Amino acid sequence: MSNLVVNQEILPDISKPKWDQSTYSGRAKHFFSSTNPLTLFSSAAQQEKCREIVTNYRKGIISDKLTVNELWKAKALYDATYHPDSGEKMFFLGRMSAQMPGNMVITGMLLSLYRTFPGVVFSHWINQSFNAVVNYTNRSGNSKTTNERLFASYCCATGGAMTAALGLNKLVKNNYGLAARLIPFAAIALANAINIPMMRSNEITDGMELKDENDNLVGRSRKMAVLSIAQVTMSRIAMAMPYMGQMSDSRPSINFSVLTPIIMNRITRTAYYRTRPWMQKYSEIPIQTVLAGIGLYFTTPLCCALFPQKSEIEVSKLEKNVQLEISKLPNPPKTVFYNKGL
């Protein structure tokens, strides 16, 4: 079989994604593959098999029955399941592939529990807790943090983000104008700006891992940590743009969708909808939840692709102390690489 890996004149390079990461389209194709929600349903045996294929291939151990397609499929599941720096299996709710189903369920919860203040607080706490898990799971590097610091970061992240979201929503509680429609998005943006840096605070204080072309750790940079966290924050805010806004004038407490009201407006004008009272009573929340899920299926990979996950920078552009540290190494690299996280 000509498709066997061992028959290839040039072996596939799985140290990088299958598609060109210097282009947006290449990054988008990669993230459509690695954030595919279907990967969550893979069995532990499948995941372990893919891990073995990838790790053995990196060591030069190649099965004579392994095809190129099988190799890339194994790499796709590996990327979706294991952390790119530590190689550890990521908590399934923290994987980017859980963004669509996780936020879809949270959307339904926010739509259902908007009537009471405890319901709003609980749903926002669940939302920010989920975000905190995703932010921590997809952090850069493989450095560990203490349980005490992790708990403090979680409390600050969820508490600060919830306060921001609820506080801004309170300002326009009885306002039905443009400001009320934009406040929910502003609340989400501010919540992300609090949650992400707090859950990745150790990168800011300790610095982001810098590696040479052979994947050897050569230093740490706080400058790159701040830049990477800012890029991730921008990506997460962009993910929320299509479905974060005020749902309708009749329900100012449900601040949820920019596109959904337009689609719902078209649905409610159809004869089928108008002639079925049960549909008018029970269908709104399920329809909007599904629409949010469809939106997230596309916005998650498309917004992850805004910036390269693995970036490079010239050593001369790093902090002076980091430059000095790297210059003392044998054969110091002129360019280093880092994983910005997701």
Side-chain angles (χ1 to χ4, degrees), residues 242 257-270 287-288 291-292 294-295:
S257 182
V258 171
L259 295 181
T260 300
I262 298 174
I263 299 174
M264 282 299 300
N265 188 51
R266 298 296 294 271
I267 292 174
T268 56
R269 289 182 178 183
T270 63
I287 289 175
Q288 291 188 102
L291 289 174
I294 294 172

Side-chain angles (χ1 to χ4, degrees), residues 62-123:
I62 306 173
S63 169
D64 56 6
K65 297 181 180 180
L66 181 66
T67 67
V68 174
N69 290 336
E70 288 173 343
L71 174 63
W72 283 116
K73 285 182 180 179
K75 181 62 163 54
L77 183 56
Y78 179 89
D79 288 343
T81 309
Y82 296 89
H83 193 278
D85 291 328
S86 66
E88 296 178 354
K89 183 182 289 189
M90 296 182 285
F91 179 51
F92 78 103
L93 285 180
R95 301 171 196 169
M96 291 306 294
S97 53
Q99 276 282 292
M100 188 275 273
N103 276 312
M104 184 176 169
V105 172
I106 291 172
T107 296
M109 184 181 298
L110 287 165
L111 290 169
S112 302
L113 302 180
Y114 76 96
R115 290 182 176 85
T116 65
F117 182 75
V120 172
V121 171
F122 176 75
S123 57

